[in-house]
Amino acid sequence: MVVFNRKQNSMDLTSAAASLCSSVLSAILPANKKYTEVIGSFTASVFGADVKPFTPEKAKEIVMSLQQPAVFCDMVDNWPALHWNTKYLSALLDGKTIQFRIGMKTMDLVPQFETRCSYVEATLQEFLAWSCGQPSCLSGPFSCYEYSKYWAYADYKYIARLFEHKEEVFQDIKWSDFGFPGRSGKESTLWIGSEGANTPCHLDSYGCNLVLQVQGRKRWHLFPPGDTSFLYPTRIPYEESSVFSKVNVANPDLKRFPEFRNATAHMVTLSPGQVLLVPRHWWHYVESIDPVTVSINSWIELDADHEARVEEAITRTLVCAIKSAENPSDADLWLNPTEIEATSHDINLQYLNRAVSAYFKCQKASVSEQAHPSSFGAEKMTSASHKRRKRQVGTEPEGCKLLTHEADFSTVKAEKLQKIPFGPHLIQVLPQSQETSSVDARAVESDYRDLIHGNEGGHFGKLHCARKQLVMSNDCEMPANQMDSDGSPNASQTTLSTNDLLDCLVNPHVISLVAQLLLERTRI
C-alpha cells in the first residue's frame, strides 16, 4: 500500500503515481528493451510526457548517497539540450572556432595523455566535414590528420564561455530535475568527439559527476576507489584535480602493471538520453564509439571536497617544487595543457594555507549549524564550480557540512543500497564478473576479462600498430642494458627518476595521510 502525504503538490503526486505504475508494470513484464519501451509509453500516455520516474528530491538522494555508478533513464526527455547535436551546435556557434585535441587511433600500451596529443583550432563545420571525409578538408585545419588514423576531441568546453553572448541556451540543461535548483548549462561542460576520441583513465579529486549523452554513444570503463593501487596512480602529467593511471586500460601492459589483473572493471555504453552517475573517486576511461559524439556533464560538489582541496594543495606544492628544480627537458612534458603555468612555491603555500583555513571554517560552521539549526534545515546548497576552474587565492567555499570520509560510507553502504530504487529507470552498472538481465545500451559490456588477458578480438576494432612518434617519458620502456635476463629491472643499474620519486611522494594514499597530519598540526 502507498500512502501519499497531503502536503505533496500535484506534480509530486503525479510523479509518484507514474513511478508506482511503472514499478508495477516492470514487476509483471519481462525485463528487456521491448517491454521497457511499453512501460515508458504507457506511463507517458497516462501521466504526461513530462513526468519523471524520480522526483528531484529522490534523484538528489540517489546522486548523493549511491557509491557505485548507475544510469538514469527517462529523466531528460523534455530537455531542449537533447537537440544539441553537432549540426545544431555548429549553427549556434556561427563560425566560432574551438580547440580540438588530436590523437592517434592506434592502440598503444601507453596511455595517450594530453601532453602527447596535437591541437588545432577549427569550427564545428570543419570538424563535421573532416569526420565525413569531405575533400574540402584537404586544405583546412585537419588537413594533416587522416580521419582513418586520427581522432579529434573538443573536450572540457565550458558552456558559460562557449555561449557567453547567448546565455538563454543555459536553460536548455535542467539539472534541477536531479534536485539541484539553479544549476543549468552555466555550470556544465560540453564534449564533442569523433570515433576513437578518448580520455585517459583517471579519477576526479572533487565531487561526483553527472553525464548526459546527447549524440552518439560512449563506452565507459569504470573502476572503484578501492582499486586505486591496481591502477598505478601518477600525477605526471600534473593537472590540479585529476589523478591519472599509468595503465592503458583498453590495452593494458600486464608485464609492467601486473596488479591491474586484480582491478574490477564496470563497463557501460551510454546512449543518447541517458545520464550516467560517476560517484566520487571512481576511476574512468571514456571513448567515443560512434562517428560523432556529444556529451554534457556537471560536477556536483560534495562535503569531502574541502579536505580534497587541502590534499590537492599539498600535491601542487610538491610537484611544482620538485619538477621546477629539475633541469628542463624537451621530452619532460610534466604539466598538462589544462594547467596554464607552474605556480611559484610562495603561491602554492598561500593556496595550501587558504585550503586549510577553508576546511576549518566549514567544520566550525557545521558544528554551529548543528547546535543552532535554522528553519531551512541543516543542508545548504553549495555554489556550483567547474572541475578545472582555478580557485583564486583567498576564495573560500560556502555552505559546507562535516566531512564524510570514504570509510564512513562502508558501514552504511549495504543498508543504503537496499533503499536505492534500481529498475528500468535506474540501471545499476555491475562489475564484469556479475551477470545482468539488462540488454542493449542499458547492459554492462561483456567479457572485459578477455580483453586484459590478451583476446585480440576484444580491442573494439582499434588498429594494433606502432605509434607514429615516440615520446620519451617515465612511461617508456626501460633500456635493455638495465634489464636482467629474466626481463626484470637490474637492481645494480636501475636509475630512479624524479617522476619515480613523485609517484611515491604524491601517491593518493600518502597525500591523504599527509593532509591528516597537517590538519592535526593546525588544529593544535
Side-chain angles (χ1 to χ4, degrees), residues 89 93 116 136 236 283 481 506 521:
L89 290 171
L93 288 169
R116 297 174 175 233
S136 60
I236 304 297
W283 292 84
N481 63 358
V506 297
R521 175 184 293 269

Side-chain angles (χ1 to χ4, degrees), residues 264-522:
T264 304
H266 297 236
M267 289 174 64
V268 66
T269 297
L270 202 64
S271 295
Q274 297 179 330
V275 176
L276 174 66
L277 166 64
V278 182
R280 179 176 186 263
H281 284 183
W282 272 72
W283 292 84
H284 46 285
Y285 166 84
V286 191
E287 61 176 336
S288 298
I289 59 175
D290 282 331
V292 176
T293 63
V294 177
S295 310
I296 297 169
N297 87 293
S298 189
W299 284 279
I300 309 299
E301 289 188 338
L302 300 174
D303 300 326
D305 290 349
H306 304 302
E307 185 170 358
R309 290 189 186 99
V310 176
E311 295 176 356
E312 284 298 297
I314 295 170
T315 301
R316 175 183 286 275
T317 302
L318 288 173
V319 173
C320 289
I322 293 177
K323 292 300 293 183
S324 297
E326 189 178 39
N327 290 328
S329 167
D330 292 338
D332 186 22
L333 302 175
W334 67 272
L335 195 65
N336 219 41
T338 54
E339 295 291 320
I340 299 174
E341 61 182 357
T343 46
S344 69
H345 186 67
D346 287 342
I347 292 295
N348 289 335
L349 281 183
Q350 290 181 46
Y351 183 94
L352 176 59
N353 278 282
R354 292 294 183 180
V356 171
S357 177
Y359 169 89
F360 285 113
K361 180 179 179 180
C362 292
Q363 276 205 327
K364 184 177 179 180
S366 298
V367 171
S368 176
E369 192 170 290
Q370 289 178 352
H372 304 284
S374 69
S375 58
F376 296 101
E379 184 176 356
K380 295 182 181 179
M381 184 67 187
T382 56
S383 60
S385 70
H386 296 309
K387 169 176 173 283
R388 296 192 182 189
R389 177 191 294 166
K390 298 298 175 290
R391 292 169 172 79
Q392 297 178 352
V393 174
T395 300
E396 296 179 350
E398 302 175 353
C400 43
K401 298 178 288 186
L402 286 173
L403 300 180
T404 306
H405 296 280
E406 290 183 25
D408 299 329
F409 287 129
S410 61
T411 60
V412 294
K413 182 177 179 181
E415 180 182 345
K416 284 187 176 181
L417 207 56
Q418 292 176 354
K419 297 179 181 178
I420 299 298
F422 292 117
H425 303 296
L426 184 67
I427 309 300
Q428 190 175 7
V429 181
L430 297 171
Q432 288 300 287
S433 59
Q434 297 186 20
E435 296 294 329
T436 175
S437 60
S438 300
V439 294
D440 69 90
R442 301 185 177 193
V444 176
E445 297 298 314
S446 62
D447 210 3
Y448 183 81
R449 290 296 174 185
D450 282 352
L451 179 96
I452 68 170
H453 288 296
N455 183 352
E456 291 296 322
H459 288 270
F460 315 128
K462 298 290 183 66
L463 300 176
H464 292 268
C465 57
R467 287 179 57 86
K468 184 178 181 180
Q469 56 184 348
L470 176 63
V471 181
M472 296 299 295
S473 77
N474 61 311
D475 286 324
C476 295
E477 293 294 336
M478 186 174 291
N481 63 358
Q482 293 186 15
M483 305 291 287
D484 284 337
S485 57
D486 62 356
S488 61
N490 185 324
S492 62
Q493 298 182 25
T494 299
T495 302
L496 292 174
S497 67
T498 301
N499 291 351
D500 293 324
L501 174 63
L502 278 173
D503 281 342
C504 297
L505 285 177
V506 297
N507 181 285
H509 298 304
V510 175
I511 290 296
S512 178
L513 177 59
V514 172
Q516 291 299 319
L517 292 171
L518 191 63
L519 291 171
E520 284 297 325
R521 175 184 293 269
T522 310

